[in-house]
Amino acid sequence: MSATIGLQALRRNTAGVDVSGALNLVGTLIKYLSAAFLFPTVLALGYGEPAWPYVASGMIVLAFGLVLERVTSRGGVIRAQEGFLVVSVVWALAAWAVALPYLFAEPQLRNPIDAYFEAMSGITTTGATTLIDIAALDQSMAMWRQFSQWIGGMGIVVLALAILPRLRVGGSRQLVESEMPGPEYEPLKTTIRDTARRLWLVYVGLSALMTLILCILGWTGIDDLMTEYQAAAHMFAAMPTGGFSPQPRSLEPFAPASQWVIGVFMLLAGANFALHYRAVVRRASPFRDEEFRLYLAFIFVATAGIFLELLRADIFAAGEGALRNAFVNVVSIMTTTGFATSDFALWTGATSFIFVVLMLIGGCAGSTAGAIKVVRVSLLAKALHREVDQTIHREAVVPLSVNGRIVDERTVRAVLGFLLFYLLLFLGGAFVLAIEEARAGLEAAPFVHVATSATMLGNVGPSLGFAGPMGSMDPYSPFSKSVMILLMWAGRLEIIPVAVLLTRRYWRA
Amino acid sequence: MKILIVGAGQVGSTIVEALHDEHELTVIDLDQARLNALGHRFDVLTTEGNGASRRTLQDAGIADADLLIACTSRDEANLVSAMLARALSKAKTIVRTTNVEFLDVWRERQLDVDFVVSSEVETATAIGRIIGMPNAKQTDVFADGQVEIVEFDVPVDLAHGETIGLPLREARIPGESKVASIIRGEQLLVPRGHESIMPGDRVIVIGSPEAAREWSGIVSQAAAPIDDVVIYGAERTGVALARVLLDQGIRVRIIEPDTARARRVAEELTGARVFQASGLDPDFIDRERIGQTGAAVFAMRDDEINLYAATLARIHGVRFTIAVVDEPASVAVLEHAGVDVAVNPRSVTAEEIVRFAHDPRVRQMTMLEGDRYEVLDITVREDSELVGKPFRELPMTGSLIGAIVRNGSAVFPHGDDMLLAGDRAIIFTESSRTARVERVL
Amino acid sequence: MTALGVDVGAALNLIGALLRYLSLAFLVPAVLALGYDEPVWPFAVSGVITAAAGVGLGAMTHGRERIGPREGFLIVALVWLLIPAFGALPFLLDEPQLSNPMDAFFEAVSGFTATGATVLTDIDALPKAMAMWRQLTHWLGGMGIIVLAVAVLPRLRIGGRQLLESELAGPQEVERLGATIRETARRLWVLYIGLTVVAILALASLGWSGADPAMNLYEGVAHAWSALALGGFSTKNLSLAAFQPITQWVILGFIVLAGINFLRLYRVIVQRHASLVARDEELRLYLTFLVVGSALVLIEVLAGGFLSGAEAVRSSIFQAVSIMTTTGFATSDYTRWGALALMTLLVLMFIGTSAGSTGGSIKVVRHLLVWKLIRRELTQTVHREEVLPIRLSGAVVDERALRSVVIFFPIYMGLFALGAVLLAIDARRSHLALGAFDAIGAAAACLGNIGPAFGFAGPFGSYEPFSDLSTGVLTGLMWLGRLEIIPVAVLLSRRYWRA
């Protein structure tokens, strides 16, 4: 008995967070990440392009991961507290890893901030670019950009469905319907492993399906532009709701059929992956999910609104073109992907407004989408309604429910807290960008910066004005880009893990 | 003295046990069975009835009583008994209360009662002292805190040093203190010059609070003072304890399962951190690193739950555990199970009351080692035969004068000091000699 | 008898009473008009019509004097619509610049809600009595017609507390300044009147002593009324730029004072509890915001070379304070200043004054509580079981109150965004050159009851170019802002009307 006590006491020696153990896990993950560099290496060899940037990067990343593992001690159980540190650091380091090939061999991304921006935009599946001439990229480099988003998506699936709920970030615990709720005492690593296994199957499965369908469109001649390369490239960006494209004009040059297909898959990618899993494995209808229904409703209403506006402003003639452009772009923005079928920065003020609202709402919880998430918006609306109710009937006890299940007050508070954080960062970001760009002399309407802040925080991608879907973030000053990198990073992690790291209480006992 | 005791519960019984051989006791209670039990064990009179009724009090002989002790579990009844006693006789009144507010009102002299004892406050203070000196088995305070009597267990594996292992006349004794007694096995040793304190002994020390802490340091192995305490349970005792500790500048964390109570305490005590949790969840204990606390006090309602929580805490590394128990029997159970100190609030209360009840010249009294030894606070009479004698010349009769309170301040006498009339002498003596000591002084 | 859950009749009855009292207010401009030899009839007629309406309403709803807490929401919403409606009568009757009913209503609402936005293009051209009526609307509306009602009408002994709370806004319970609610309301008005008198004397003496030739008793009264109500109307086109620096400083002082919680102010000034000041977290934050805001604006003004020296300091501070306290006086045209200044001023528009003052916008205490909430959320992310009550100046804040504060933010921002968008859309429809920033500014300035915005609606400009629809939207925003939105949300829910 004394031995057991002794062992336990030994483990609990550190006050505060087990930094060493957390970094050890980070090292392991980074180590695995190095395997990703094989893919562009093979491509480069195949296309006769320089492969050394990828090989070199891969080796450096591998070495770094190994060293980090070696230097830090194999910590005990990784608990929630270490979890915050792990996710924050992993994403920051992964972006650095992804940026290496850009730094080595991409002339447009020589500036470290630009390279890091592009990498962070990839790994957080944002999809905003600082490149001015996308067509000038090597095929392997372009594909590396796409691939970085697919990898980011895999991480995000696990993040959204296993880690963040466990950390109870922003009410995720009760709001995210996951397949593996995971009992509290189960080590985080086990939950992650189990969730990852199941959901990556869905992720890979859908990826394969999408690639196949797109390829078929290419083979049958419906879309001559859709080669295997383009199919894979766009799948890599669509599944994780990323938004990069090797095409300077995004989806515009492709045939309507391809655009519709990509639109549909984006819609699927923006829905809770657990729903897909259940639909396949247990034949449960996703329509039973309240969030999913609301998600579809938002898409429907927004599409209708944009459709009417497009007609009214004579941008498209009534017909399939207008409908397709409305639908695909709405889905793209709402799922925070960022593809565009035409330059909507040139559309009307009303459409811009609708798009910014969609950027703030985001996709479903438990998907690769970002922003506030439909379920939280729905909870906010319910909380609002309850507030009015309770203003009239002071003593009324009105529990809120999601999907038929009561949500406890802690969760409601967490959601409201998250919303305030989001609002704070969104407005603060817009403010800082506006001032900085005014100082730097950039000619742009202030609303552009509002959209930029929203798009970065929500990991959407395109903004308005010069930073629109066919444009680039390049004109922004380095300081602004740094701010945007921070927004992307914080937004992907749902802000709280990053914010927690800034409090003193976290680091002390 | 003729003493009326209202209430034959735990507190009442303990008081009876302490006072029955020296005073004439009459016990009042509504429960005949309890009265019978007491009556059989001790030579006391019993009256069945409601202590808060005039008729009952009169029947019990309040008219010529010297002291009324109202110690039922109901505050209001106790208060009424005291009020009636005041109206019906010249008896002094002692009231037991669970309400800290009554205590405050009494301190402001708004309550016409001679002495009020609050279980919670006494327990909290007692535990506070224990935490201040974790190696002390028992600590008592006299003369408004100026004199402390502490009982230490000298660890068996303590190395010999300047104080331990050397004959007393050569050993370094902290200033302003005296060794009152060395207990080896069953034997009580008078601390003459040739005696030494050996590891494994139990030492009783009388001295100033600073000296007591020095002794604590000498006797202890882990030198770190406790600066952070976790309290399980935010009932009255827990909250009172939290206040005491916060006043001492100790960090306090409170664990309370009940949501509403947790919230109330969090609002009241601004300095403490409050957690709404059962305390029985290993994950919570792990996460909040409860195991790293200096001491944990278990003051939840249930002895069984306290035991479980305490054991769980020890498994997670808590070094020092104190439990507040309900049943007297639980003291032994918990201490055997590994809890370092188990405190019974009722014993503490009874002790406090008995202290007051003793010879009016005798201001305080405490009992050590069961009942074997007592410490008295006696005011020296003018005509005492020991007045004017230097200490060096006082007879050693198995009693030791540990300290003198002269004009309100404590003096720890050396050989040349003299005992003066009117001094309050803090004396350590065997129980059997108490009467004699009182006579001499 | 009432199938409805709310006694509409009782609400209307109270409004009727208030209208009867309002009709008396017209005496002031009437007397002035006599004195300055201007037309008296607009005010006389308005007074009669208002009185008649009041009497009529009272007769129609006779016997329904009792109001309960539920009627409060309806009353508050109606008061801030109907009182200005009747208050607009003089404008409609005899002010050529306000002959459009939409414009007259806008001006009246802007007056009573102490916003200070104007559709007049030439204020100097107003007759003295008419101009003073404008200022009076500020003063009457500043402390709140309802507070006045509670102070004066005996029938409001019941239900008065809820009304007072709806009026004085802010998340906490209204501290009592006396034994009854009526006492509290009365003392508030006494303080308000007292401060106004002091301000009038201070300003007037500036004129009498010759320190400011433009200042006299008339201007003193006019600007004191506007300053204490944190309104912003002036009798001059150039607002306070028409006066000397010393006057501007004096008015600045009163504005800062009026931005403090009047309940607290009463305890400090009248009951002499000076220690309250040190402990009051809201007050500290209020002052901090003022200082920081002024500093940021000053930096930009100096760096950009828009003004220099003492004038730069004075104007920057004044502008920042004026906007944040939702007053709206101006000492110089800030629309010319650089991005940092403009953005800072825009942000200040969303901060507001302390709760329980005559100002508007979100209010400092809400920001304070939200900040504490966010920090608590972070702590509780790490320490899940820890109970962390939130305290404000030492007192624990009820969780329900916190929830309503949190909810308030998205609603406010949402309404603001909606307002801005409507303005933008309508601007295109009516071919008005309205930049996005200007639309945002106008929406924010009206919702927060500030007054001047950016662009043509700037401090020396006017809201006149807006179409009727936009004017309507802006009026709605002013109304919602003054009510702090929730009562309207309540009125929109079905539950409210059902029994």
Side-chain angles (χ1 to χ4, degrees):
Chain A
M1 179 188 150
S2 58
T4 330
I5 297 179
L7 208 63
Q8 306 271 3
L10 250 176
R11 254 200 297 152
R12 305 289 156 247
N13 235 344
T14 48
V17 187
D18 186 7
V19 177
S20 195
L23 289 181
N24 186 279
L25 180 58
V26 171
T28 312
L29 292 173
I30 296 289
K31 202 177 58 179
Y32 291 146
L33 183 63
S34 64
F37 289 92
L38 286 172
F39 180 56
T41 309
V42 166
L43 273 185
L45 290 173
Y47 284 116
E49 293 162 353
W52 68 265
Y54 312 108
V55 176
S57 309
M59 313 232 71
I60 294 179
V61 171
L62 180 62
F64 183 81
L66 281 171
V67 167
L68 192 55
E69 259 188 328
R70 191 54 58 85
V71 164
T72 55
S73 60
R74 177 162 295 270
V77 178
I78 296 289
R79 283 165 303 191
Q81 269 177 295
E82 285 74 34
F84 293 117
L85 190 58
V86 169
V87 297
S88 304
V89 173
V90 158
W91 247 267
L93 281 182
W96 167 85
V98 166
L100 285 175
Y102 299 147
L103 280 170
F104 287 152
E106 181 44 55
Q108 292 186 66
L109 297 173
R110 267 284 135 72
N111 181 340
I113 291 188
D114 284 346
Y116 197 64
F117 183 99
E118 203 76 15
M120 184 63 88
S121 178
I123 208 104
T124 57
T125 72
T126 302
T129 182
T130 54
L131 294 171
I132 309 182
D133 185 4
I134 302 180
L137 288 174
D138 280 349
Q139 304 231 354
S140 56
M141 188 68 77
M143 192 58 99
W144 173 239
R145 225 168 61 108
Q146 305 297 119
F147 193 54
S148 67
Q149 295 206 307
W150 198 75
I151 302 226
M154 294 188 89
I156 292 165
V157 164
V158 173
L159 183 72
L161 277 158
I163 304 182
L164 290 179
R166 183 56 93 71
L167 300 183
R168 292 156 186 253
V169 170
S172 317
R173 180 124 197 86
Q174 294 207 328
L175 296 182
V176 179
E177 296 280 332
S178 71
E179 261 308 290
M180 290 263 17
E184 284 306 310
Y185 54 81
E186 181 183 74
L188 193 56
K189 276 201 220 172
T190 313
T191 313
I192 295 177
R193 219 190 357 247
D194 288 344
T195 313
R197 243 183 307 135
R198 293 178 191 213
L199 295 161
W200 282 346
L201 279 175
V202 178
Y203 189 68
V204 170
L206 278 175
S207 301
L209 186 61
M210 181 178 176
T211 318
L212 185 63
I213 296 183
L214 286 177
C215 283
I216 290 178
L217 286 178
W219 295 330
T220 56
I222 296 177
D223 191 344
D224 289 320
L225 191 53
M226 188 59 78
T227 62
E228 291 84 3
Y229 180 89
Q230 294 294 334
H234 287 90
M235 179 277 290
F236 280 147
M239 278 320 297
T241 62
F244 274 158
S245 172
Q247 297 291 335
R249 301 286 301 178
S250 193
L251 298 184
E252 204 184 41
F254 291 97
S258 303
Q259 293 183 2
W260 279 109
V261 167
I262 294 180
V264 168
F265 273 96
M266 283 195 290
L267 191 142
L268 289 176
N272 188 339
F273 269 59
L275 288 181
H276 298 314
Y277 182 85
R278 251 186 255 149
V280 167
V281 169
R282 295 212 247 128
R283 309 206 181 287
S285 163
F287 291 98
R288 284 210 310 219
D289 185 73
E290 191 187 319
E291 188 191 20
F292 188 65
R293 291 199 302 266
L294 190 58
Y295 168 65
L296 291 179
F298 270 129
I299 292 180
F300 180 77
V301 170
T303 306
I306 303 255
F307 179 69
L308 291 171
E309 181 68 6
L310 288 176
L311 294 183
R312 196 195 61 80
D314 271 331
I315 299 183
F316 289 99
E320 185 267 349
L323 189 60
R324 174 169 34 92
N325 275 285
F327 175 71
V328 177
N329 287 315
V330 162
V331 172
S332 170
I333 297 289
M334 179 138 175
T335 59
T336 76
T337 308
F339 281 143
T341 56
S342 104
D343 194 351
F344 53 72
L346 299 174
W347 293 357
T348 70
T351 59
S352 296
F353 179 70
I354 295 182
F355 280 133
V356 171
V357 169
L358 291 178
M359 280 182 202
L360 293 172
I361 295 179
C364 294
S367 72
T368 55
I372 295 179
K373 308 284 197 326
V374 173
V375 71
R376 289 200 184 99
V377 171
S378 134
L379 199 65
L380 172 65
K382 291 179 185 178
L384 243 141
H385 185 253
R386 172 169 79 170
E387 197 53 37
V388 171
D389 225 0
Q390 280 181 330
T391 310
I392 310 173
H393 303 281
R394 254 166 223 263
E395 292 75 21
V397 174
V398 184
L400 297 178
S401 66
V402 162
N403 260 332
R405 275 210 293 258
I406 305 281
V407 172
D408 70 32
E409 287 308 307
R410 273 294 284 122
T411 303
V412 175
R413 279 212 295 271
V415 169
L416 291 176
F418 173 82
L419 263 154
L420 285 172
F421 259 119
Y422 201 89
L423 209 60
L424 187 68
L425 276 184
F426 164 53
L427 293 173
F431 183 74
V432 169
L433 287 176
I435 293 187
E436 165 66 10
E437 291 310 315
R439 185 199 64 78
L442 182 68
E443 289 284 324
F447 196 64
V448 169
H449 303 306
V450 171
T452 305
S453 183
T455 202
M456 289 291 127
L457 195 58
N459 304 116
V460 188
S463 175
L464 298 171
F466 65 85
M470 313 297 179
S472 160
M473 294 294 176
D474 192 58
Y476 274 106
S477 77
F479 178 74
S480 292
K481 284 182 186 155
S482 310
V483 169
M484 285 152 71
I485 290 173
L486 281 173
L487 288 175
M488 281 193 278
W489 180 56
R492 183 77 273 171
L493 300 174
E494 306 215 337
I495 307 174
I496 308 279
V498 171
V500 164
L501 293 185
L502 295 175
T503 62
R504 239 179 326 183
R505 274 282 189 88
Y506 179 74
W507 300 100
R508 279 188 304 165
Chain B
M1 278 197 294
K2 179 159 185 237
I3 305 180
L4 244 59
I5 300 176
V6 181
Q10 258 195 57
V11 178
S13 315
T14 316
I15 295 175
V16 166
E17 193 173 336
L19 297 177
H20 73 278
D21 51 0
E22 292 199 6
H23 306 275
E24 209 183 297
L25 305 179
T26 307
V27 185
I28 306 172
D29 198 283
L30 284 166
D31 185 343
Q32 183 66 50
R34 281 212 280 220
L35 288 176
N36 286 341
L38 270 183
H40 281 147
R41 280 173 64 200
F42 306 106
D43 180 19
V44 294
L45 288 171
T46 62
T47 306
E48 186 189 347
N50 183 350
S53 110
R54 187 171 61 164
R55 158 66 61 82
T56 311
L57 285 175
Q58 282 171 332
D59 284 348
I62 184 71
D64 54 352
D66 298 302
L67 174 65
L68 175 97
I69 302 177
C71 54
T72 70
S73 53
R74 296 181 332 276
D75 289 355
E76 289 77 29
N78 291 342
L79 222 54
V80 171
S81 301
M83 298 287 122
L84 286 174
R86 180 67 88 227
L88 297 172
S89 74
K90 293 200 192 333
K92 287 209 187 301
T93 52
I94 302 179
V95 163
R96 170 205 175 186
T97 178
T98 52
N99 191 336
V100 178
E101 247 187 78
F102 279 146
L103 195 62
D104 287 336
V105 174
W106 174 69
R107 284 210 181 108
E108 292 166 24
R109 308 211 185 293
Q110 307 274 5
L111 218 53
D112 191 12
V113 174
D114 289 298
F115 196 53
V116 173
V117 180
S118 154
S119 313
E120 283 72 27
V121 173
E122 292 305 319
T123 312
T125 324
I127 297 180
R129 281 200 298 271
I130 294 174
I131 289 178
M133 277 182 301
N135 328 89
K137 280 257 2 168
Q138 188 169 345
T139 314
D140 290 289
V141 172
F142 290 76
D144 302 319
Q146 297 180 68
V147 180
E148 283 189 12
I149 287 142
V150 192
E151 201 176 314
F152 289 110
D153 266 337
V154 184
V156 178
D157 47 356
L158 188 63
H160 290 202
E162 294 181 324
T163 314
I164 310 295
L166 285 178
L168 282 178
R169 71 172 82 94
E170 295 167 32
R172 191 187 89 75
I173 309 284
E176 295 203 321
S177 74
K178 270 195 161 60
V179 177
S181 175
I182 302 172
I183 300 164
R184 198 168 293 159
E186 284 295 306
Q187 255 194 323
L188 171 81
L189 301 171
V190 178
R192 298 207 162 83
H194 64 83
E195 291 289 349
S196 334
I197 305 174
M198 302 301 285
D201 287 345
R202 182 170 290 177
V203 179
I204 301 179
V205 166
I206 301 182
S208 68
E210 290 75 32
R213 269 194 281 285
E214 256 191 84
W215 272 101
S216 179
I218 293 173
V219 162
S220 75
Q221 285 171 311
I226 295 177
D227 60 354
D228 141 50
V229 173
V230 174
I231 303 176
Y232 285 66
E235 311 241 350
R236 278 199 269 244
T237 310
V239 174
L241 177 60
R243 275 194 233 271
V244 166
L245 294 174
L246 287 171
D247 279 341
Q248 293 179 16
I250 295 178
R251 282 202 321 263
V252 174
R253 281 182 285 177
I254 302 180
I255 300 174
E256 167 57 48
D258 178 71
T259 315
R261 200 178 293 139
R263 172 95 200 172
R264 260 204 312 277
V265 170
E267 292 181 9
E268 260 181 59
L269 297 174
T270 46
R273 289 178 64 189
V274 180
F275 294 84
Q276 192 258 307
S278 70
L280 306 178
D281 178 5
D283 181 59
F284 164 75
I285 295 182
D286 210 27
R287 236 185 312 119
E288 293 294 341
R289 309 198 197 266
I290 301 291
Q292 291 176 342
T293 188
V297 180
F298 300 87
M300 296 184 282
R301 187 123 279 202
D302 235 313
D303 286 348
E304 293 88 32
I305 295 184
N306 280 332
L307 176 57
Y308 188 94
T311 312
L312 192 60
R314 290 184 65 242
I315 291 177
H316 282 264
V318 176
R319 288 171 286 142
F320 191 48
T321 50
I322 304 170
V324 176
V325 302
D326 222 23
E327 293 290 318
S330 302
V331 172
V333 170
L334 271 92
E335 288 192 351
H336 183 79
V339 174
D340 293 290
V341 184
V343 178
N344 182 341
R346 282 168 204 75
S347 302
V348 173
T349 311
E351 220 177 76
E352 197 53 24
I353 291 178
V354 166
R355 203 170 284 172
F356 186 79
H358 221 261
D359 189 318
R361 284 186 307 132
V362 178
R363 293 266 210 107
Q364 269 180 317
M365 197 188 89
T366 192
M367 299 179 286
L368 302 168
E369 284 307 298
D371 293 339
R372 270 178 82 180
Y373 318 104
E374 291 184 11
V375 179
L376 310 175
D377 175 351
I378 295 189
T379 309
V380 180
R381 292 191 322 267
E382 276 216 17
D383 54 346
S384 161
E385 61 202 33
L386 298 181
V387 172
K389 279 207 176 150
F391 267 83
R392 225 177 312 138
E393 296 176 27
L394 290 177
M396 289 284 236
T397 47
S399 309
L400 176 85
I401 300 182
I404 307 253
V405 180
R406 189 172 291 162
N407 300 325
S409 20
V411 174
F412 298 92
H414 304 298
D416 293 328
D417 291 325
M418 283 193 295
L419 195 60
L420 300 175
D423 281 350
R424 279 166 60 191
I426 313 283
I427 302 178
F428 174 82
T429 181
E430 286 180 61
S431 294
S432 47
R433 296 172 174 278
T434 312
R436 188 156 174 271
V437 168
E438 286 178 13
R439 253 184 295 129
V440 164
L441 287 175
Chain C
M1 191 214 125
T2 39
L4 291 175
V6 185
D7 194 355
V8 180
L12 289 177
N13 188 289
L14 180 62
I15 306 249
L18 290 175
L19 284 177
R20 294 199 288 279
Y21 282 108
L22 178 68
S23 63
L24 294 174
F26 288 105
L27 283 175
V28 173
V31 166
L32 270 180
L34 272 177
Y36 283 111
D37 203 29
E38 292 165 354
V40 180
W41 69 268
F43 307 106
V45 172
S46 307
V48 168
I49 296 180
T50 310
V55 168
L57 267 180
M60 267 196 325
T61 56
H62 185 66
R64 310 257 273 279
E65 262 97 53
R66 289 307 216 57
I67 60 165
R70 253 210 187 169
E71 281 70 39
F73 300 107
L74 185 58
I75 292 175
V76 167
L78 283 180
V79 161
W80 290 103
L81 274 184
L82 291 178
I83 302 287
F86 284 91
L89 283 173
F91 300 145
L92 270 175
L93 290 174
D94 196 36
E95 179 46 53
Q97 294 185 62
L98 296 173
S99 51
N100 177 344
M102 214 62 220
D103 285 345
F105 190 51
F106 178 95
E107 198 77 15
V109 171
S110 177
F112 280 97
T113 59
T115 301
T118 181
V119 289
L120 295 171
T121 43
D122 187 1
I123 307 176
D124 289 332
L126 285 177
K128 290 223 183 298
M130 191 67 74
M132 191 58 99
W133 172 239
R134 242 171 45 113
Q135 307 295 116
L136 183 58
T137 56
H138 265 354
W139 194 74
L140 286 175
M143 179 46 73
I145 309 250
I146 292 189
V147 177
L148 183 59
V150 174
V152 163
L153 297 178
R155 75 173 72 187
L156 285 180
R157 252 186 281 248
I158 304 178
R161 161 159 281 271
Q162 281 75 13
L163 276 183
L164 207 67
E165 284 179 355
S166 326
E167 260 300 281
L168 289 180
Q172 290 189 292
E173 279 222 344
V174 174
E175 326 170 16
R176 296 249 185 160
L177 291 181
T180 61
I181 274 298
R182 221 158 134 221
E183 244 338 275
T184 306
R186 218 175 251 177
R187 289 181 182 196
L188 282 176
W189 262 87
V190 164
L191 179 63
Y192 187 54
I193 294 175
L195 284 175
T196 311
V197 168
V198 172
I200 294 177
L201 287 177
L203 289 174
S205 61
L206 281 177
W208 295 328
S209 65
D212 189 345
M215 185 55 74
N216 51 45
L217 184 61
Y218 175 85
E219 298 294 349
V221 171
H223 289 90
W225 278 351
S226 186
L228 259 304
L230 295 179
F233 273 161
S234 173
T235 51
K236 304 259 185 242
N237 278 333
L238 287 177
S239 186
L240 292 192
F243 296 96
Q244 293 298 312
I246 178 81
T247 309
Q248 295 174 5
W249 282 113
V250 168
I251 292 187
L252 183 70
F254 280 101
I255 288 178
V256 171
L257 205 59
I260 301 176
N261 186 332
F262 264 61
L263 295 157
R264 214 60 48 71
L265 212 54
Y266 187 89
R267 317 245 357 254
V268 170
I269 295 182
V270 177
Q271 293 177 344
R272 299 189 198 291
H273 285 159
S275 59
L276 279 181
V277 174
R279 263 194 314 154
D280 194 333
E281 287 183 77
E282 187 187 17
L283 183 60
R284 286 205 303 260
L285 189 59
Y286 169 67
L287 294 173
T288 308
F289 273 139
L290 286 177
V291 168
V292 171
S294 305
L296 284 175
V297 173
L298 180 59
I299 290 175
E300 175 76 6
V301 166
L302 286 176
F306 301 103
L307 294 171
S308 54
E311 196 197 350
V313 173
R314 182 171 32 89
S315 273
S316 312
I317 297 179
F318 193 93
Q319 227 44 74
V321 172
S322 173
I323 297 261
M324 182 175 135
T325 55
T326 75
T327 311
F329 279 140
T331 57
S332 82
D333 191 358
Y334 57 77
T335 56
R336 284 198 246 272
W337 297 350
L340 178 61
L342 288 176
M343 295 294 301
T344 306
L345 289 176
L346 181 62
V347 168
L348 287 175
M349 281 191 193
F350 285 92
I351 296 185
T353 58
S354 313
S357 73
T358 53
S361 192
I362 297 180
K363 305 273 184 5
V364 172
V365 70
R366 286 200 178 90
H367 291 286
L368 185 57
L369 286 176
V370 159
W371 177 245
K372 290 182 184 231
L373 260 165
I374 289 184
R375 286 185 52 205
R376 173 170 83 170
E377 209 40 54
L378 280 183
T379 308
Q380 279 186 327
T381 307
V382 176
H383 298 279
R384 249 187 284 140
E385 293 83 4
E386 192 163 356
V387 178
L388 294 162
I390 295 205
R391 274 173 235 271
L392 192 62
S393 309
V396 174
V397 180
D398 177 46
E399 290 296 314
R400 281 283 301 281
L402 285 174
R403 267 221 304 270
S404 46
V405 167
V406 171
I407 298 277
F408 187 78
F409 271 81
I411 299 182
Y412 193 89
M413 302 305 292
L415 260 182
F416 153 69
L418 187 64
V421 165
L422 286 174
L423 288 178
I425 293 180
D426 186 57
R428 227 156 12 103
R429 188 192 61 85
S430 59
H431 306 293
L432 178 68
L434 185 71
F437 193 68
D438 294 342
I440 289 176
C446 284
L447 187 60
N449 302 121
I450 294 150
F454 307 115
F456 59 78
F460 300 138
S462 160
Y463 278 74
E464 194 271 331
F466 280 110
S467 75
D468 278 353
L469 183 57
S470 290
T471 308
V473 168
L474 290 166
T475 310
L477 285 177
M478 285 193 281
W479 176 61
L480 284 168
R482 187 61 180 85
L483 293 176
E484 303 222 326
I485 307 168
I486 303 286
V488 177
V490 168
L491 289 180
L492 289 176
S493 85
R494 244 181 323 190
R495 281 272 183 94
Y496 180 73
W497 298 100
R498 278 186 297 166

